Amino acid sequence: MSSEIYARIQKNPKFKELVSKRERLAWTLTGIVLVLFFGLFMTVAFNPSVLAIRLGDSYVTTGLLIGLAQFVLFWLLTAVYVRRANSEFDALTEQLLHESVKAKK
């Protein structure tokens, strides 16, 4: 891609919109992951007895369920990002490229 097209893309308001939306989503998801991840480790460090509570007569504890729930949630958050990237972000990127290449002609 020529530097002229790249400069045109950077000046396009849709590029700023794309960057803003992508950053907002990325920081939101990052915040959720960090709070949950470090929340679990802080619980392990300062109140491990909460994670040792057995559920019923089984060997399943709250810590096991919370740990497994984190993995499931992280997969779901990844799916949210992929879905937005494949629909909204890719559509904006296509529009940007189409407008920039079209403007060159």
Side-chain angles (χ1 to χ4, degrees):
M1 184 179 310
S2 74
S3 59
E4 180 183 316
I5 294 174
Y6 185 70
R8 206 173 303 125
I9 288 172
Q10 283 185 315
K11 291 177 186 173
N12 192 320
K14 287 183 182 177
F15 178 74
K16 291 175 177 55
E17 176 188 353
L18 172 65
V19 170
S20 172
K21 285 182 176 183
R22 217 173 59 195
E23 282 182 355
R24 191 175 329 118
L25 179 63
W27 282 113
T28 300
L29 296 178
T30 299
I32 291 168
V33 167
L34 288 175
V35 166
L36 293 174
F37 189 76
F38 285 111
L40 177 62
F41 281 98
M42 297 300 277
T43 304
V44 168
F46 296 109
N47 198 3
S49 61
V50 171
L51 302 173
I53 298 171
R54 289 184 184 252
L55 302 175
D57 294 333
S58 67
Y59 291 105
V60 178
T61 63
T62 54
L64 178 65
L65 285 180
I66 291 171
L68 291 175
Q70 274 194 338
F71 281 106
V72 171
L73 184 64
F74 295 161
W75 277 100
L76 290 174
L77 291 176
T78 301
V80 166
Y81 183 85
V82 168
R83 183 180 172 123
R84 290 260 325 255
N86 288 341
S87 59
E88 184 179 350
F89 301 154
D90 282 355
L92 274 172
T93 301
E94 277 297 319
Q95 290 173 7
L96 274 168
L97 289 174
H98 181 72
E99 289 175 10
S100 299
V101 171
K102 186 178 174 183
K104 184 180 179 185
K105 293 180 181 179

